[in-house]
Amino acid sequence: MWHYVIMPKRPKDKPIPASSDSTPPSPASVISQYMAQIGSKGGKIGGKRRLQTMTPKQRRDVAAKAAKARWGKSKKNSK
């Protein structure tokens, strides 16, 4: 019976089709991908380590700057 046939699963990530060019990727894009991988690895622990090395005054200054950026926006731009 046709309704008992199991449908094949679709792949979750579609492979990126290869371009017709046979040129290798530019060094800038390779470096960019590498730096993104390193940044995502270090970003998970970076904030905690940064807070350990900062003085209380530095933490206050960073928090004040963040609060000013967050709450200092004009109301006419937010809708």
Side-chain angles (χ1 to χ4, degrees):
M1 297 228 166
W2 63 270
H3 58 277
Y4 289 112
V5 176
I6 297 173
M7 295 293 293
K9 299 283 183 183
R10 290 185 182 175
K12 293 191 187 271
D13 294 327
K14 293 182 179 179
I16 299 172
S19 65
S20 60
D21 294 340
S22 62
T23 58
S26 67
S29 67
V30 173
I31 291 172
S32 177
Q33 290 173 352
Y34 177 72
M35 295 304 279
Q37 289 174 350
I38 288 178
S40 67
K41 185 185 292 186
K44 295 175 185 172
I45 59 169
K48 293 176 185 176
R49 187 168 295 156
R50 181 176 178 222
L51 287 177
Q52 290 174 350
T53 59
M54 293 172 77
T55 65
K57 183 184 180 317
Q58 289 174 327
R59 285 193 295 253
R60 254 192 320 273
D61 293 341
V62 169
K65 183 178 177 183
K68 185 177 180 182
R70 187 179 306 118
W71 300 105
K73 298 176 183 173
S74 65
K75 296 203 181 233
K76 64 181 177 183
N77 289 339
S78 62
K79 285 190 174 184

